């Protein structure tokens, strides 16, 4: 099967308060894509990034990671991300930068263009609901997410023209 | 054997060293070593310090929620809890009527996918760095990224095997982690021809990877066999399910127990009566219970579960390549069970090969794409479900009331069954590897290596979700901290001078 050119990797634990931001946005996007009958974007939702997600990057043109953010300014934020050795690897979780580095190691060649969409969270307790601040951030992130899909598709069309 | 080190006869004046928590093991664990004035270990214990009480949490919930709910116990082996709970709650739908053949095969396929991905994670991601690089390799390098850098062919096999196992899970349940699929009374979604063909397209390659992984595990163990045989040694009984013909059985069978010499203690015991043969001892210093075989008593009745137990206990493995590997493995014991703790990894990879073979057979079975998925019968109000999870025998036991709400839940997870064995191995390492001087990261890791041979995951047993910082403290007999070794979230070690 040929992979979809665009990949959205949303991750976080839906049972840990604002850590649910990633799965929430990922599931919502998956539903939106079904309504659109679109197959050019694949959405993968998981608890955390693992080494084997590097294989999900194979054959992609662009990748968007979605995660909750424990620090920084309130709201949603887009950032570019590139491959970088991940010194934080200690169990079976890896950062987006580390994942891109693993992709380069195990697959070789250029990594796909990648960005992170993050939403600032306040509460990450087990069983806690989404905080009001994270809720606001999710609304802004959703608009940005749809915009990202539209823009990413546009790049494809420009390249094909 | 170092049973005498579980509890020191006199603890006053003993220095205390703590390793807290154990890294690359999910859930919080803590190891304490009490030393005498000559810095000789007098007491060593593995404590599990978090508790979430999942059995209480389940009570009051409708039974049909339980299989999906209990998956949240664990991010590594959620499917094992899904399946054990499904088997237990089948009784609430279909009574003693068996579920349909297709549903059984879909559950088996799901289970083999889960075992394959979990064993790949355990061996390649968590254990292979220690075995390939040595216990004293720098922490930032001694992980799966280090393996991918230095041994890309080995690392890539591990990554791809895990990915395939997760694909089996995703196809059958809709998600890689915490999907649905298995439900009380059967399975909720058939496997389409297209999905079957998609999984089949990779299976020959997967079989090759599995065989290669087994060869690596075997080679790493045999490379220093005497040392590996003695490391964290613990002679024990073994408990597992076996098939009616004595074959390796991961999904459904009767309980077999062998003693340390290989004698049959119990055979083909109906697991629904597990309460009659197991007793769970509570100790004041750990949240994790200590199960033992009632007939043998708590001193002699502790046992080990998991790959080593299963391979030791069975008479054969019902797939050809894994069976040949079992015969080769059992030669290490010369007619008796293999007791080496590090042999868990070799046995684990034999099972991984068996899972790959079993997946190939199931994908060739026409019944796997059938659509008869559920059964109903005269419902019962009590159900026990037992499977062989990646780390060992997993017991789920529920009772429901007339409103179909859970009134009682009891789970015995494999980590709990291995609790005494893990403590025994920790004591052996502490007694043999600690030279009485400053505690080192090497000692810390040797203890972790012993625990990791059984289990990378303490969270099921404590029903907790843990974090991974690591600190070691040396506390003098007067209570002052004289040394502290800290492992940060980035894997770097720092040694703080304490005045």
């Amino acid at each position: 099967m040929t992979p979809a050119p665009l990949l959205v990797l949303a991750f976080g634990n839906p049972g840990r308060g604002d850590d649910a931001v990633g799965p929430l946005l990922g599931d919502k996007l998956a539903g939106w894509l079904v309504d659109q009958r679109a197959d050019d974007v694949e959405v993968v939702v998981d608890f955390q990034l693992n080494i084997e997600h590097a294989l999900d990057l194979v054959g992609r043109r662009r990748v968007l990671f979605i995660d909750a953010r424990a620090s920084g300014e309130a709201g949603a934020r887009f950032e570019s991300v590139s491959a970088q050795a991940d010194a934080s690897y200690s169990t079976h979780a890896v950062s987006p930068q580390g994942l891109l580095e693993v992709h380069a190691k195990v697959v070789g060649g250029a990594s796909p263009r990648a960005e992170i969409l993050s939403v600032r969270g306040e509460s990450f307790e087990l069983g806690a609901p989404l905080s009001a601040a994270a809720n606001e951030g999710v609304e802004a992130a959703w608009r940005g997410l749809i915009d990202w899909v539209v823009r990413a598709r546009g790049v494809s069309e420009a390249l094909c023209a | 054997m170092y049973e005498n080190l579980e509890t020191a006869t006199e603890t006053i004046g003993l220095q205390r060293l703590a390793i807290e928590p154990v890294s690359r093991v999910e859930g919080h664990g803590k190891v304490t070593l009490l030393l005498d004035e000559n810095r000789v270990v007098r007491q060593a214990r593995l404590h599990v310090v978090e508790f979430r009480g999942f059995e209480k949490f389940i009570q009051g919930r409708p039974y049909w929620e339980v299989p999906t709910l209990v998956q949240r116990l664990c991010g590594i082996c959620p499917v094992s809890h899904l399946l054990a709970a499904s088997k237990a709650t089948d009784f609430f739908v279909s009574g003693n009527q068996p579920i349909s053949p297709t549903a059984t095969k879909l559950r088996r396929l799901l289970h083999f996918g889960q075992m394959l991905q979990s064993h790949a994670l355990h061996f390649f991601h968590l254990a292979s760095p220690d075995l390939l690089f040595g216990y004293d390799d720098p922490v930032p390098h001694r992980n799966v990224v280090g393996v991918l850098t230095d041994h890309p062919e080995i690392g890539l096999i591990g990554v791809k095997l895990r990915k395939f196992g997760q694909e089996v899970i995703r196809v059958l349940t809709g998600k890689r982690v915490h999907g649905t699929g298995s439900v009380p009374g059967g399975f909720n979604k058939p496997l389409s021809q297209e999905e079957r063909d998609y999984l089949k397209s990779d299976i020959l390659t997967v079989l090759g990877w599995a065989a290669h992984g087994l060869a690596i595990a075997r080679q790493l163990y045999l490379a220093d066999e005497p040392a590996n045989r003695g490391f964290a040694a613990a002679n024990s009984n073994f408990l597992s399910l076996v098939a009616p013909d004595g074959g390796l059985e991961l999904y459904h069978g009767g309980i077999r127990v062998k003693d340390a010499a290989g004698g049959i203690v119990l055979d083909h015991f109906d697991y629904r009566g597990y309460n009659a043969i197991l007793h769970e001892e509570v100790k004041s210093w750990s949240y994790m219970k200590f199960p033992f075989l009632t007939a043998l008593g708590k001193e002699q009745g502790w046992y080990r579960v998991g790959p080593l137990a299963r391979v030791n206990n069975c008479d054969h493995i019902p797939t050809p390549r894994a069976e040949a590997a079992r015969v080769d493995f059992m030669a290490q014991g010369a007619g008796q069970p293999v007791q080496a703790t590090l042999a868990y990894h070799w046995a684990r990879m034999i099972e991984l090969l068996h899972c790959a073979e079993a997946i190939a057979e199931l994908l060739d079975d026409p019944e796997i794409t059938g659509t008869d998925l559920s059964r109903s019968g005269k419902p019962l109000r009590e159900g026990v479900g037992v499977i062989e999870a990646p780390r060992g025998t997993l017991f789920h036991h529920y009772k429901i009331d007339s409103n179909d709400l859970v009134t009682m839940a009891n789970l015995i997870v494999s980590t709990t069954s291995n609790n005494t064995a893990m403590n025994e191995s920790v004591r052996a390492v502490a007694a043999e590897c600690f030279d009485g001087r400053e505690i080192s990261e090497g000692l810390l890791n040797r203890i972790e290596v012993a625990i990791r041979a059984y289990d990378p995951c303490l969270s099921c047993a404590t029903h907790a979700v843990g974090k991974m910082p690591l600190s070691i403290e040396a506390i003098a007999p007067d209570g002052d901290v004289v040394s502290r070794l800290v492992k940060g979230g980035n894997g770097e070690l720092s040694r703080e001078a304490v005045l």
Side-chain angles (χ1 to χ4, degrees):
Chain A
M1 286 193 293
T2 307
L6 308 179
L7 172 68
V8 174
L9 259 171
F11 56 102
N13 185 341
R16 294 197 82 113
D18 293 345
D19 203 33
V21 160
L24 202 153
L25 284 164
D27 289 342
K28 189 171 179 180
L29 179 64
W32 184 81
L33 290 165
V34 169
D35 292 342
Q36 298 266 310
R37 299 184 179 180
D39 60 3
D40 59 340
V41 185
E42 185 180 351
V43 181
V44 173
V45 177
D46 219 326
F47 264 45
Q48 56 192 6
L49 290 181
N50 288 300
I51 294 289
E52 58 274 10
H53 284 122
L55 300 180
D56 287 314
L57 307 183
V58 176
R60 312 292 186 174
R61 189 164 48 76
R62 283 182 71 167
V63 175
L64 180 68
F65 298 96
I66 307 179
D67 191 13
R69 174 165 38 85
S71 60
E73 77 282 12
R77 184 169 82 193
F78 271 96
E79 292 168 279
S80 292
V81 61
S82 54
Q84 190 177 347
D86 188 356
S88 70
Y89 187 86
S90 62
T91 170
H92 40 274
V94 64
S95 69
Q97 295 90 336
L99 195 70
L100 290 163
E101 175 78 3
V102 170
H103 170 270
K105 273 188 177 35
V106 302
V107 180
S111 294
R113 178 178 163 187
E115 292 147 293
I116 300 176
L117 168 59
S118 63
V119 174
R120 170 68 196 272
E122 291 182 339
S123 166
F124 296 88
E125 292 305 308
L126 196 64
L130 218 59
S131 69
N135 253 321
E136 283 182 24
V138 164
E139 285 183 25
W142 174 246
R143 293 191 294 274
L145 181 54
I146 297 303
D147 186 50
W148 181 87
V149 171
V150 171
R151 281 188 291 112
R153 284 172 169 165
V155 170
S156 173
E157 287 157 10
L159 286 173
C160 292
Chain B
M1 306 292 277
Y2 296 94
E3 300 95 327
N4 60 310
L5 296 185
E6 179 186 316
T7 301
T9 50
E10 178 55 72
T11 57
I12 296 172
L14 295 184
Q15 190 179 19
R16 179 175 177 274
L17 301 180
I19 300 172
E20 182 182 12
V22 177
S23 68
R24 267 182 286 156
V25 176
E26 288 296 315
H28 274 188
K30 178 177 74 172
V31 172
T32 58
L33 311 177
L34 295 190
L35 312 178
D36 65 15
E37 65 277 10
N38 297 315
R39 299 182 71 84
V40 172
V41 176
R42 292 299 179 198
Q43 178 178 297
R45 290 172 170 174
L46 168 65
H47 310 253
V48 174
V49 296
E50 285 198 42
F51 179 73
R52 225 171 74 198
F54 223 89
E55 286 107 330
K56 285 288 178 194
F57 178 65
I58 294 166
Q59 287 181 20
R61 311 290 299 193
Y63 74 80
W64 53 84
E65 285 185 356
V66 169
T68 313
L69 201 61
V70 293
Q71 291 193 92
R72 306 288 166 172
L73 274 162
C74 183
I76 296 181
C77 50
V79 171
S80 304
H81 290 293
L82 172 72
L83 291 173
S86 295
K87 287 180 71 176
T89 53
D90 283 344
F91 290 98
F92 305 149
V93 174
S94 52
N96 289 314
Q97 173 93 354
I99 65 168
S100 77
T102 294
T104 302
K105 286 174 181 175
L106 287 171
R107 284 187 184 177
R108 284 183 177 273
L109 181 60
L110 179 59
H111 191 38
F112 289 130
Q114 152 73 4
M115 295 286 281
L116 190 145
Q117 71 86 16
S118 181
H119 278 1
L121 171 85
H122 196 152
F123 178 72
F124 288 99
H125 291 48
L126 302 170
S128 78
D130 298 310
L131 305 175
L132 287 165
F133 302 141
Y135 308 147
D136 297 310
D137 192 58
V139 172
H141 176 255
R142 201 179 58 225
N143 54 51
V144 69
V145 177
V147 175
L148 282 164
T149 304
D150 291 11
H151 302 279
E153 75 291 352
I154 295 176
L156 195 54
I157 284 174
V159 171
K160 288 184 171 178
L161 278 169
R162 181 145 199 253
K163 175 86 170 172
F164 178 77
Q166 288 182 320
E167 276 301 278
V168 173
I169 294 168
R170 185 190 63 77
V171 166
L172 290 169
T173 72
K175 293 169 79 173
R176 293 178 195 176
V177 180
H178 299 166
T180 57
S182 183
V183 292
F187 215 80
N188 68 1
K189 177 179 102 54
L191 181 70
S192 70
Q193 301 274 355
E194 293 73 23
E195 289 169 333
R196 190 268 311 271
D197 292 345
Y198 166 65
L199 294 176
K200 272 187 77 168
S201 65
D202 281 334
I203 194 64
L204 288 178
T205 312
V206 169
L207 279 165
W209 292 331
H212 193 171
L214 168 61
I216 293 165
R218 180 183 187 278
Q219 181 187 350
L220 287 171
Y221 180 84
L222 293 177
D224 194 359
E225 198 276 332
N228 289 335
R229 183 175 1 117
F231 180 83
N235 273 10
S236 74
N237 306 298
F238 292 102
L239 183 149
S240 70
L241 298 180
V242 291
D245 66 354
L248 180 77
E249 178 53 61
L250 300 176
Y251 177 73
H252 187 73
I255 292 176
R256 174 178 283 179
V257 176
K258 277 187 180 177
D259 63 26
I264 299 283
V265 176
L266 202 65
D267 211 4
H268 303 300
F269 185 84
D270 184 342
Y271 62 63
R272 288 175 293 180
Y274 77 99
N275 272 336
I277 59 167
L278 295 180
H279 187 83
E280 293 184 272
E281 186 186 15
V282 176
K283 298 191 181 186
S284 61
W285 49 270
S286 178
Y287 283 127
M288 208 160 36
K289 294 176 183 175
F290 294 79
F292 61 88
L293 294 154
T294 311
L296 299 182
K298 61 184 178 183
E299 299 300 328
Q300 302 298 322
W302 62 275
Y303 56 89
R304 288 194 279 185
V305 297
L308 187 64
R310 292 187 290 248
V311 174
N312 274 327
N313 268 3
C314 71
D315 299 330
H316 66 96
I317 296 179
T319 53
R321 297 170 79 174
E323 169 60 6
R326 183 196 70 84
V327 171
D328 174 44
F329 176 83
M330 293 305 289
Q332 292 293 313
Q336 295 197 338
V338 177
Q339 292 283 358
T341 297
L342 284 181
Y344 259 97
H345 296 307
W346 185 355
R348 183 167 289 120
M349 297 308 287
I350 294 172
E351 287 193 336
L352 189 149
L353 178 59
H354 166 62
C355 290
E357 290 183 292
I359 288 170
E361 287 180 1
L362 279 169
L363 292 175
D364 275 338
D365 186 332
E367 219 165 20
I368 199 72
T369 51
T371 54
D372 175 17
L373 301 180
S374 62
R375 285 278 193 273
S376 58
K378 186 180 176 185
L380 301 175
R381 296 283 169 201
E382 181 171 2
V384 178
V386 179
I387 64 163
E388 285 294 333
R391 254 66 72 191
T393 318
L394 172 63
F395 298 79
H396 279 224
H397 182 188
Y398 306 104
K399 292 180 184 175
I400 58 172
D401 63 15
S402 57
N403 295 315
D404 291 340
L405 303 180
V406 175
T407 56
M408 186 283 288
N410 187 39
L411 314 181
I412 304 177
V413 301
S414 45
T415 311
T416 306
S417 283
N418 278 332
N419 192 8
T420 298
M422 289 193 291
N423 268 280
E424 183 68 22
S425 288
V426 165
R427 289 193 286 269
V429 172
E432 294 174 10
C433 301
F434 186 53
D435 64 5
R437 291 178 293 199
E438 186 174 62
I439 194 164
S440 65
E441 200 278 329
L443 172 69
L444 177 157
N445 194 47
R446 281 165 175 78
I447 288 174
E448 293 179 15
V449 166
I451 297 168
R452 272 198 293 277
Y454 299 94
D455 210 325
C457 177
L458 299 176
S459 61
C460 291
T462 58
H463 312 169
V465 177
K467 294 181 179 178
M468 289 295 138
L470 177 70
S471 79
I472 313 165
E473 289 183 341
I475 303 172
D478 60 6
D480 286 348
V481 177
V482 295
S483 170
R484 181 181 291 130
L485 186 65
V486 177
K487 183 180 182 182
N490 60 2
E492 291 181 359
L493 288 170
S494 61
R495 189 178 297 281
E496 296 178 16
V498 181
L499 299 177

